[in-house]
Amino acid sequence: MCVPTADAKITRMRVLLVCLAGGILAGCGSGGYGPTDLSTDTAPPAPNPAPLPVRSPGRPVRVVTMRGLAFHPAAVTVAVGQSVEWVNRDAIRHNVTTLDAATIASPDLPPGGRFAYVPARTGRLRYYCTIHPSTMTAVLIVTAR
């Protein structure tokens, strides 16, 4: 009669645990790729690109770049309804957030990422990057049409 050694028992236990964990994880998630999806040679869909700014007729898009841990220009003036687009030209993530954190609250933008905003009312909107608040501050001045 063959009696399993302690090493063989441990190996079997590890295999069983890996199989159980794999089965549990395959059923978890929110609509991720299941086991049937893994058998295909297709890559998962690419994430949606950043939305393009709304372009108002006769009103060029104002562009603010993020580079060197600063917004350029630090003050930009647009009219109500005129698009503003922030473009991340740094090698690290940034975002655009107004002091009230509600008027403008962009997602974190990876290098090359873009975010657009079209103001609906006049005023001065002070904004900053929540990741780099000590160096990245600026103001958006919105005038009447």
Side-chain angles (χ1 to χ4, degrees):
M1 177 166 168
C2 183
V3 177
T5 65
D7 288 340
K9 287 181 182 179
I10 291 172
T11 301
R12 285 184 189 154
M13 183 63 80
R14 285 181 182 158
V15 169
L16 178 62
L17 289 174
V18 168
C19 290
L20 282 173
I24 291 169
L25 291 175
C28 295
S30 58
Y33 294 99
T36 57
D37 297 322
L38 296 176
S39 64
T40 65
D41 289 331
T42 59
N48 292 334
L52 295 175
V54 176
R55 299 186 186 273
S56 308
R59 296 183 188 270
V61 173
R62 291 298 311 260
V63 176
V64 177
T65 59
M66 303 169 188
R67 61 178 160 46
L69 293 175
F71 292 105
H72 300 278
V76 63
T77 302
V78 298
V80 169
Q82 183 178 6
S83 301
V84 181
E85 182 180 34
W86 286 268
V87 180
N88 185 356
R89 297 285 183 227
D90 260 337
I92 55 178
R93 292 183 173 273
H94 296 301
N95 61 46
V96 180
T97 306
T98 49
L99 294 180
D100 67 6
T103 305
I104 301 173
S106 79
D108 289 351
L109 304 173
R114 296 170 177 269
F115 175 75
Y117 173 73
V118 179
R121 63 177 195 261
T122 61
R124 293 175 62 87
L125 298 172
R126 295 184 50 79
Y127 65 91
Y128 67 109
C129 171
T130 62
I131 303 167
H132 309 101
S134 63
T135 60
M136 294 187 71
T137 62
V139 64
L140 175 64
I141 304 160
V142 184
T143 62
R145 293 181 183 219

PDB file of all heavy atoms in Angstrom, residues 108-137:
ATOM      1  N   ASP A 108      -8.225  62.154 -12.955  1.00  0.00           N
ATOM      2  CA  ASP A 108      -6.766  62.267 -13.076  1.00  0.00           C
ATOM      3  C   ASP A 108      -6.395  61.995 -14.526  1.00  0.00           C
ATOM      4  O   ASP A 108      -6.833  60.999 -15.105  1.00  0.00           O
ATOM      5  CB  ASP A 108      -6.062  61.269 -12.157  1.00  0.00           C
ATOM      6  CG  ASP A 108      -6.201  61.640 -10.695  1.00  0.00           C
ATOM      7  OD1 ASP A 108      -6.695  62.743 -10.396  1.00  0.00           O
ATOM      8  OD2 ASP A 108      -5.817  60.819  -9.842  1.00  0.00           O
ATOM      9  N   LEU A 109      -5.626  62.907 -15.103  1.00  0.00           N
ATOM     10  CA  LEU A 109      -5.251  62.811 -16.513  1.00  0.00           C
ATOM     11  C   LEU A 109      -3.847  62.241 -16.649  1.00  0.00           C
ATOM     12  O   LEU A 109      -2.897  62.806 -16.114  1.00  0.00           O
ATOM     13  CB  LEU A 109      -5.308  64.194 -17.171  1.00  0.00           C
ATOM     14  CG  LEU A 109      -6.654  64.926 -17.069  1.00  0.00           C
ATOM     15  CD1 LEU A 109      -6.527  66.343 -17.601  1.00  0.00           C
ATOM     16  CD2 LEU A 109      -7.731  64.163 -17.792  1.00  0.00           C
ATOM     17  N   PRO A 110      -3.692  61.144 -17.361  1.00  0.00           N
ATOM     18  CA  PRO A 110      -2.359  60.588 -17.578  1.00  0.00           C
ATOM     19  C   PRO A 110      -1.593  61.481 -18.544  1.00  0.00           C
ATOM     20  O   PRO A 110      -2.178  62.372 -19.176  1.00  0.00           O
ATOM     21  CB  PRO A 110      -2.650  59.222 -18.207  1.00  0.00           C
ATOM     22  CG  PRO A 110      -3.946  59.420 -18.916  1.00  0.00           C
ATOM     23  CD  PRO A 110      -4.733  60.380 -18.073  1.00  0.00           C
ATOM     24  N   PRO A 111      -0.299  61.271 -18.714  1.00  0.00           N
ATOM     25  CA  PRO A 111       0.449  62.043 -19.715  1.00  0.00           C
ATOM     26  C   PRO A 111      -0.253  61.961 -21.071  1.00  0.00           C
ATOM     27  O   PRO A 111      -0.650  60.890 -21.511  1.00  0.00           O
ATOM     28  CB  PRO A 111       1.815  61.349 -19.740  1.00  0.00           C
ATOM     29  CG  PRO A 111       1.944  60.774 -18.359  1.00  0.00           C
ATOM     30  CD  PRO A 111       0.558  60.334 -17.985  1.00  0.00           C
ATOM     31  N   GLY A 112      -0.454  63.128 -21.687  1.00  0.00           N
ATOM     32  CA  GLY A 112      -1.162  63.196 -22.964  1.00  0.00           C
ATOM     33  C   GLY A 112      -2.666  63.282 -22.822  1.00  0.00           C
ATOM     34  O   GLY A 112      -3.373  63.497 -23.799  1.00  0.00           O
ATOM     35  N   GLY A 113      -3.181  63.134 -21.600  1.00  0.00           N
ATOM     36  CA  GLY A 113      -4.622  63.179 -21.366  1.00  0.00           C
ATOM     37  C   GLY A 113      -5.187  64.582 -21.557  1.00  0.00           C
ATOM     38  O   GLY A 113      -4.472  65.580 -21.439  1.00  0.00           O
ATOM     39  N   ARG A 114      -6.483  64.633 -21.853  1.00  0.00           N
ATOM     40  CA  ARG A 114      -7.168  65.907 -22.097  1.00  0.00           C
ATOM     41  C   ARG A 114      -8.470  65.959 -21.324  1.00  0.00           C
ATOM     42  O   ARG A 114      -9.096  64.935 -21.099  1.00  0.00           O
ATOM     43  CB  ARG A 114      -7.497  66.049 -23.581  1.00  0.00           C
ATOM     44  CG  ARG A 114      -6.290  66.113 -24.470  1.00  0.00           C
ATOM     45  CD  ARG A 114      -6.674  65.997 -25.952  1.00  0.00           C
ATOM     46  NE  ARG A 114      -5.510  66.119 -26.787  1.00  0.00           N
ATOM     47  CZ  ARG A 114      -5.058  67.255 -27.294  1.00  0.00           C
ATOM     48  NH1 ARG A 114      -5.696  68.369 -27.079  1.00  0.00           N
ATOM     49  NH2 ARG A 114      -3.966  67.274 -28.030  1.00  0.00           N
ATOM     50  N   PHE A 115      -8.870  67.180 -20.957  1.00  0.00           N
ATOM     51  CA  PHE A 115     -10.143  67.411 -20.295  1.00  0.00           C
ATOM     52  C   PHE A 115     -10.708  68.731 -20.791  1.00  0.00           C
ATOM     53  O   PHE A 115      -9.977  69.711 -20.917  1.00  0.00           O
ATOM     54  CB  PHE A 115      -9.960  67.458 -18.772  1.00  0.00           C
ATOM     55  CG  PHE A 115     -11.218  67.806 -18.033  1.00  0.00           C
ATOM     56  CD1 PHE A 115     -12.230  66.872 -17.883  1.00  0.00           C
ATOM     57  CD2 PHE A 115     -11.400  69.076 -17.508  1.00  0.00           C
ATOM     58  CE1 PHE A 115     -13.401  67.194 -17.210  1.00  0.00           C
ATOM     59  CE2 PHE A 115     -12.552  69.407 -16.831  1.00  0.00           C
ATOM     60  CZ  PHE A 115     -13.565  68.460 -16.677  1.00  0.00           C
ATOM     61  N   ALA A 116     -11.995  68.753 -21.104  1.00  0.00           N
ATOM     62  CA  ALA A 116     -12.623  69.968 -21.622  1.00  0.00           C
ATOM     63  C   ALA A 116     -13.758  70.416 -20.710  1.00  0.00           C
ATOM     64  O   ALA A 116     -14.412  69.599 -20.056  1.00  0.00           O
ATOM     65  CB  ALA A 116     -13.152  69.716 -23.026  1.00  0.00           C
ATOM     66  N   TYR A 117     -13.985  71.728 -20.693  1.00  0.00           N
ATOM     67  CA  TYR A 117     -15.050  72.330 -19.894  1.00  0.00           C
ATOM     68  C   TYR A 117     -15.612  73.519 -20.661  1.00  0.00           C
ATOM     69  O   TYR A 117     -14.861  74.269 -21.289  1.00  0.00           O
ATOM     70  CB  TYR A 117     -14.481  72.786 -18.539  1.00  0.00           C
ATOM     71  CG  TYR A 117     -15.445  73.573 -17.697  1.00  0.00           C
ATOM     72  CD1 TYR A 117     -16.512  72.951 -17.065  1.00  0.00           C
ATOM     73  CD2 TYR A 117     -15.286  74.947 -17.539  1.00  0.00           C
ATOM     74  CE1 TYR A 117     -17.397  73.683 -16.291  1.00  0.00           C
ATOM     75  CE2 TYR A 117     -16.160  75.680 -16.758  1.00  0.00           C
ATOM     76  CZ  TYR A 117     -17.218  75.042 -16.137  1.00  0.00           C
ATOM     77  OH  TYR A 117     -18.097  75.762 -15.374  1.00  0.00           O
ATOM     78  N   VAL A 118     -16.935  73.681 -20.611  1.00  0.00           N
ATOM     79  CA  VAL A 118     -17.598  74.819 -21.241  1.00  0.00           C
ATOM     80  C   VAL A 118     -18.367  75.553 -20.147  1.00  0.00           C
ATOM     81  O   VAL A 118     -19.369  75.037 -19.637  1.00  0.00           O
ATOM     82  CB  VAL A 118     -18.560  74.372 -22.369  1.00  0.00           C
ATOM     83  CG1 VAL A 118     -19.252  75.574 -22.985  1.00  0.00           C
ATOM     84  CG2 VAL A 118     -17.812  73.570 -23.423  1.00  0.00           C
ATOM     85  N   PRO A 119     -17.918  76.749 -19.754  1.00  0.00           N
ATOM     86  CA  PRO A 119     -18.596  77.477 -18.672  1.00  0.00           C
ATOM     87  C   PRO A 119     -19.960  77.998 -19.111  1.00  0.00           C
ATOM     88  O   PRO A 119     -20.139  78.427 -20.247  1.00  0.00           O
ATOM     89  CB  PRO A 119     -17.635  78.627 -18.352  1.00  0.00           C
ATOM     90  CG  PRO A 119     -16.807  78.795 -19.570  1.00  0.00           C
ATOM     91  CD  PRO A 119     -16.735  77.459 -20.238  1.00  0.00           C
ATOM     92  N   ALA A 120     -20.909  77.965 -18.179  1.00  0.00           N
ATOM     93  CA  ALA A 120     -22.271  78.408 -18.466  1.00  0.00           C
ATOM     94  C   ALA A 120     -22.588  79.770 -17.856  1.00  0.00           C
ATOM     95  O   ALA A 120     -23.613  80.368 -18.194  1.00  0.00           O
ATOM     96  CB  ALA A 120     -23.258  77.372 -17.938  1.00  0.00           C
ATOM     97  N   ARG A 121     -21.714  80.267 -16.960  1.00  0.00           N
ATOM     98  CA  ARG A 121     -21.975  81.596 -16.355  1.00  0.00           C
ATOM     99  C   ARG A 121     -20.664  82.326 -16.112  1.00  0.00           C
ATOM    100  O   ARG A 121     -19.602  81.711 -16.048  1.00  0.00           O
ATOM    101  CB  ARG A 121     -22.787  81.450 -15.077  1.00  0.00           C
ATOM    102  CG  ARG A 121     -22.092  80.691 -13.987  1.00  0.00           C
ATOM    103  CD  ARG A 121     -22.969  80.676 -12.718  1.00  0.00           C
ATOM    104  NE  ARG A 121     -22.204  80.266 -11.596  1.00  0.00           N
ATOM    105  CZ  ARG A 121     -22.201  79.035 -11.100  1.00  0.00           C
ATOM    106  NH1 ARG A 121     -22.925  78.105 -11.638  1.00  0.00           N
ATOM    107  NH2 ARG A 121     -21.465  78.755 -10.040  1.00  0.00           N
ATOM    108  N   THR A 122     -20.766  83.633 -15.949  1.00  0.00           N
ATOM    109  CA  THR A 122     -19.577  84.454 -15.750  1.00  0.00           C
ATOM    110  C   THR A 122     -19.027  84.262 -14.335  1.00  0.00           C
ATOM    111  O   THR A 122     -19.729  83.800 -13.436  1.00  0.00           O
ATOM    112  CB  THR A 122     -19.903  85.951 -15.973  1.00  0.00           C
ATOM    113  OG1 THR A 122     -20.888  86.344 -15.013  1.00  0.00           O
ATOM    114  CG2 THR A 122     -20.403  86.202 -17.380  1.00  0.00           C
ATOM    115  N   GLY A 123     -17.776  84.638 -14.168  1.00  0.00           N
ATOM    116  CA  GLY A 123     -17.156  84.584 -12.853  1.00  0.00           C
ATOM    117  C   GLY A 123     -15.691  84.213 -12.933  1.00  0.00           C
ATOM    118  O   GLY A 123     -15.127  84.039 -14.012  1.00  0.00           O
ATOM    119  N   ARG A 124     -15.089  84.142 -11.776  1.00  0.00           N
ATOM    120  CA  ARG A 124     -13.687  83.733 -11.652  1.00  0.00           C
ATOM    121  C   ARG A 124     -13.671  82.373 -10.968  1.00  0.00           C
ATOM    122  O   ARG A 124     -14.184  82.236  -9.861  1.00  0.00           O
ATOM    123  CB  ARG A 124     -12.896  84.739 -10.827  1.00  0.00           C
ATOM    124  CG  ARG A 124     -12.729  86.091 -11.490  1.00  0.00           C
ATOM    125  CD  ARG A 124     -12.044  87.098 -10.565  1.00  0.00           C
ATOM    126  NE  ARG A 124     -10.696  86.710 -10.193  1.00  0.00           N
ATOM    127  CZ  ARG A 124      -9.602  86.988 -10.893  1.00  0.00           C
ATOM    128  NH1 ARG A 124      -9.708  87.674 -12.019  1.00  0.00           N
ATOM    129  NH2 ARG A 124      -8.413  86.616 -10.474  1.00  0.00           N
ATOM    130  N   LEU A 125     -13.089  81.410 -11.636  1.00  0.00           N
ATOM    131  CA  LEU A 125     -12.996  80.057 -11.081  1.00  0.00           C
ATOM    132  C   LEU A 125     -11.543  79.761 -10.770  1.00  0.00           C
ATOM    133  O   LEU A 125     -10.731  79.564 -11.664  1.00  0.00           O
ATOM    134  CB  LEU A 125     -13.535  79.028 -12.089  1.00  0.00           C
ATOM    135  CG  LEU A 125     -15.007  79.165 -12.468  1.00  0.00           C
ATOM    136  CD1 LEU A 125     -15.339  78.226 -13.606  1.00  0.00           C
ATOM    137  CD2 LEU A 125     -15.880  78.870 -11.260  1.00  0.00           C
ATOM    138  N   ARG A 126     -11.231  79.769  -9.485  1.00  0.00           N
ATOM    139  CA  ARG A 126      -9.881  79.383  -9.068  1.00  0.00           C
ATOM    140  C   ARG A 126      -9.847  77.861  -9.059  1.00  0.00           C
ATOM    141  O   ARG A 126     -10.751  77.221  -8.552  1.00  0.00           O
ATOM    142  CB  ARG A 126      -9.557  79.961  -7.703  1.00  0.00           C
ATOM    143  CG  ARG A 126      -9.502  81.496  -7.737  1.00  0.00           C
ATOM    144  CD  ARG A 126      -9.080  82.095  -6.413  1.00  0.00           C
ATOM    145  NE  ARG A 126      -7.885  81.520  -5.835  1.00  0.00           N
ATOM    146  CZ  ARG A 126      -6.616  81.799  -6.205  1.00  0.00           C
ATOM    147  NH1 ARG A 126      -6.398  82.661  -7.168  1.00  0.00           N
ATOM    148  NH2 ARG A 126      -5.591  81.229  -5.599  1.00  0.00           N
ATOM    149  N   TYR A 127      -8.787  77.292  -9.648  1.00  0.00           N
ATOM    150  CA  TYR A 127      -8.678  75.842  -9.702  1.00  0.00           C
ATOM    151  C   TYR A 127      -7.247  75.413  -9.416  1.00  0.00           C
ATOM    152  O   TYR A 127      -6.328  76.226  -9.406  1.00  0.00           O
ATOM    153  CB  TYR A 127      -9.174  75.296 -11.047  1.00  0.00           C
ATOM    154  CG  TYR A 127      -8.368  75.713 -12.261  1.00  0.00           C
ATOM    155  CD1 TYR A 127      -7.300  74.949 -12.718  1.00  0.00           C
ATOM    156  CD2 TYR A 127      -8.686  76.868 -12.972  1.00  0.00           C
ATOM    157  CE1 TYR A 127      -6.574  75.312 -13.829  1.00  0.00           C
ATOM    158  CE2 TYR A 127      -7.967  77.246 -14.093  1.00  0.00           C
ATOM    159  CZ  TYR A 127      -6.917  76.471 -14.515  1.00  0.00           C
ATOM    160  OH  TYR A 127      -6.199  76.831 -15.625  1.00  0.00           O
ATOM    161  N   TYR A 128      -7.097  74.120  -9.177  1.00  0.00           N
ATOM    162  CA  TYR A 128      -5.790  73.569  -8.837  1.00  0.00           C
ATOM    163  C   TYR A 128      -5.761  72.090  -9.187  1.00  0.00           C
ATOM    164  O   TYR A 128      -6.783  71.501  -9.534  1.00  0.00           O
ATOM    165  CB  TYR A 128      -5.477  73.797  -7.360  1.00  0.00           C
ATOM    166  CG  TYR A 128      -6.359  73.020  -6.408  1.00  0.00           C
ATOM    167  CD1 TYR A 128      -5.836  71.960  -5.681  1.00  0.00           C
ATOM    168  CD2 TYR A 128      -7.701  73.335  -6.233  1.00  0.00           C
ATOM    169  CE1 TYR A 128      -6.624  71.230  -4.809  1.00  0.00           C
ATOM    170  CE2 TYR A 128      -8.498  72.620  -5.366  1.00  0.00           C
ATOM    171  CZ  TYR A 128      -7.961  71.566  -4.654  1.00  0.00           C
ATOM    172  OH  TYR A 128      -8.746  70.838  -3.788  1.00  0.00           O
ATOM    173  N   CYS A 129      -4.589  71.489  -9.068  1.00  0.00           N
ATOM    174  CA  CYS A 129      -4.420  70.045  -9.213  1.00  0.00           C
ATOM    175  C   CYS A 129      -4.397  69.476  -7.799  1.00  0.00           C
ATOM    176  O   CYS A 129      -3.550  69.867  -6.997  1.00  0.00           O
ATOM    177  CB  CYS A 129      -3.118  69.719  -9.955  1.00  0.00           C
ATOM    178  SG  CYS A 129      -2.706  67.956  -9.956  1.00  0.00           S
ATOM    179  N   THR A 130      -5.334  68.581  -7.496  1.00  0.00           N
ATOM    180  CA  THR A 130      -5.391  68.035  -6.137  1.00  0.00           C
ATOM    181  C   THR A 130      -4.183  67.148  -5.817  1.00  0.00           C
ATOM    182  O   THR A 130      -3.883  66.914  -4.653  1.00  0.00           O
ATOM    183  CB  THR A 130      -6.673  67.211  -5.922  1.00  0.00           C
ATOM    184  OG1 THR A 130      -6.695  66.101  -6.821  1.00  0.00           O
ATOM    185  CG2 THR A 130      -7.914  68.066  -6.122  1.00  0.00           C
ATOM    186  N   ILE A 131      -3.479  66.696  -6.845  1.00  0.00           N
ATOM    187  CA  ILE A 131      -2.293  65.867  -6.635  1.00  0.00           C
ATOM    188  C   ILE A 131      -1.084  66.733  -6.280  1.00  0.00           C
ATOM    189  O   ILE A 131      -0.216  66.331  -5.516  1.00  0.00           O
ATOM    190  CB  ILE A 131      -1.991  65.020  -7.890  1.00  0.00           C
ATOM    191  CG1 ILE A 131      -3.195  64.159  -8.250  1.00  0.00           C
ATOM    192  CG2 ILE A 131      -0.748  64.156  -7.696  1.00  0.00           C
ATOM    193  CD1 ILE A 131      -3.111  63.525  -9.631  1.00  0.00           C
ATOM    194  N   HIS A 132      -1.033  67.952  -6.844  1.00  0.00           N
ATOM    195  CA  HIS A 132       0.094  68.875  -6.638  1.00  0.00           C
ATOM    196  C   HIS A 132      -0.432  70.265  -6.245  1.00  0.00           C
ATOM    197  O   HIS A 132      -0.204  71.248  -6.955  1.00  0.00           O
ATOM    198  CB  HIS A 132       0.932  68.970  -7.920  1.00  0.00           C
ATOM    199  CG  HIS A 132       1.323  67.636  -8.451  1.00  0.00           C
ATOM    200  ND1 HIS A 132       0.678  67.030  -9.501  1.00  0.00           N
ATOM    201  CD2 HIS A 132       2.283  66.770  -8.036  1.00  0.00           C
ATOM    202  CE1 HIS A 132       1.222  65.854  -9.723  1.00  0.00           C
ATOM    203  NE2 HIS A 132       2.185  65.662  -8.857  1.00  0.00           N
ATOM    204  N   PRO A 133      -1.145  70.371  -5.125  1.00  0.00           N
ATOM    205  CA  PRO A 133      -1.816  71.628  -4.778  1.00  0.00           C
ATOM    206  C   PRO A 133      -0.893  72.792  -4.447  1.00  0.00           C
ATOM    207  O   PRO A 133      -1.295  73.943  -4.562  1.00  0.00           O
ATOM    208  CB  PRO A 133      -2.670  71.249  -3.567  1.00  0.00           C
ATOM    209  CG  PRO A 133      -1.963  70.084  -2.956  1.00  0.00           C
ATOM    210  CD  PRO A 133      -1.350  69.338  -4.115  1.00  0.00           C
ATOM    211  N   SER A 134       0.344  72.531  -4.063  1.00  0.00           N
ATOM    212  CA  SER A 134       1.230  73.631  -3.677  1.00  0.00           C
ATOM    213  C   SER A 134       1.820  74.355  -4.885  1.00  0.00           C
ATOM    214  O   SER A 134       2.182  75.526  -4.783  1.00  0.00           O
ATOM    215  CB  SER A 134       2.352  73.127  -2.760  1.00  0.00           C
ATOM    216  OG  SER A 134       3.164  72.202  -3.454  1.00  0.00           O
ATOM    217  N   THR A 135       1.909  73.691  -6.033  1.00  0.00           N
ATOM    218  CA  THR A 135       2.511  74.349  -7.199  1.00  0.00           C
ATOM    219  C   THR A 135       1.539  74.561  -8.343  1.00  0.00           C
ATOM    220  O   THR A 135       1.760  75.445  -9.165  1.00  0.00           O
ATOM    221  CB  THR A 135       3.694  73.513  -7.738  1.00  0.00           C
ATOM    222  OG1 THR A 135       3.227  72.217  -8.116  1.00  0.00           O
ATOM    223  CG2 THR A 135       4.795  73.390  -6.714  1.00  0.00           C
ATOM    224  N   MET A 136       0.487  73.788  -8.409  1.00  0.00           N
ATOM    225  CA  MET A 136      -0.401  73.871  -9.571  1.00  0.00           C
ATOM    226  C   MET A 136      -1.715  74.547  -9.200  1.00  0.00           C
ATOM    227  O   MET A 136      -2.693  73.900  -8.809  1.00  0.00           O
ATOM    228  CB  MET A 136      -0.657  72.476 -10.154  1.00  0.00           C
ATOM    229  CG  MET A 136       0.586  71.855 -10.743  1.00  0.00           C
ATOM    230  SD  MET A 136       0.262  70.309 -11.608  1.00  0.00           S
ATOM    231  CE  MET A 136      -0.601  70.895 -13.075  1.00  0.00           C
ATOM    232  N   THR A 137      -1.722  75.872  -9.322  1.00  0.00           N
ATOM    233  CA  THR A 137      -2.925  76.670  -9.098  1.00  0.00           C
ATOM    234  C   THR A 137      -3.083  77.633 -10.250  1.00  0.00           C
ATOM    235  O   THR A 137      -2.085  78.054 -10.870  1.00  0.00           O
ATOM    236  CB  THR A 137      -2.849  77.452  -7.776  1.00  0.00           C
ATOM    237  OG1 THR A 137      -1.762  78.359  -7.852  1.00  0.00           O
ATOM    238  CG2 THR A 137      -2.685  76.527  -6.576  1.00  0.00           C
TER     239      THR A 137
END
